[in-house]
């Protein structure tokens, strides 16, 4: 193998492996720590005197990953397509 071939293979495979790794993470660990409250579920009020619930994570300290949102959306679309197709065949 020449150097250009190795570089080409690396350039093609690196993004694919990174994407597959992220999808694996989204599937196995769908939640991440909330960035706003840093995983505590509470944030300081506007004046900094008291604590209140964190709205983005709803006081859980965890948020759904963006990739998991996309996986759930794709699953919903596929489910709707399959059920609509089933109704189409049952109607005949």
């Amino acid at each position: 193998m020449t150097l250009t071939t190795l570089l080409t293979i690396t350039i093609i495979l690196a993004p694919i492996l990174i994407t597959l790794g992220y999808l694996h993470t989204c599937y196995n660990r769908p939640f991440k720590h909330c960035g706003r409250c840093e995983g505590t579920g509470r944030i300081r009020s506007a004046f900094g005197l008291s604590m209140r619930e964190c709205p983005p994570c709803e006081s859980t300290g965890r948020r759904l990953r963006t990739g998991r949102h996309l996986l759930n959306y794709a699953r919903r679309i596929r489910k709707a397509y399959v059920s609509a197709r089933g109704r189409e065949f049952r109607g005949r």
Side-chain angles (χ1 to χ4, degrees), residues 12-88:
I12 291 172
L13 286 181
I16 293 171
L17 291 175
I18 290 170
T19 303
L20 289 176
Y22 182 67
L23 287 174
H24 177 72
T25 301
C26 288
Y27 185 76
N28 288 325
R29 294 177 181 246
F31 294 98
K32 65 176 183 173
H33 289 290
C34 178
R36 183 142 181 219
C37 66
E38 298 174 352
T40 62
R42 314 232 0 115
I43 57 173
R44 292 224 174 257
S45 65
F47 297 108
L49 300 174
S50 63
M51 300 291 281
R52 64 183 178 100
E53 295 180 352
C54 178
C57 67
E58 299 172 349
S59 294
T60 62
R62 299 185 160 276
R63 293 179 72 177
L64 202 58
R65 293 180 191 270
T66 305
R68 187 58 188 224
H69 276 292
L70 295 174
L71 286 174
N72 290 347
Y73 181 70
R75 186 176 294 152
R76 259 184 266 127
I77 289 175
R78 183 179 182 283
K79 186 176 179 182
Y81 173 74
V82 168
S83 67
R85 220 171 146 201
R87 272 189 251 118
E88 178 183 309

Side-chain angles (χ1 to χ4, degrees), residues 3-18:
L3 183 60
T4 56
T5 307
L6 284 174
L7 283 173
T8 305
I9 291 172
T10 304
I11 289 171
I12 291 172
L13 286 181
I16 293 171
L17 291 175
I18 290 170

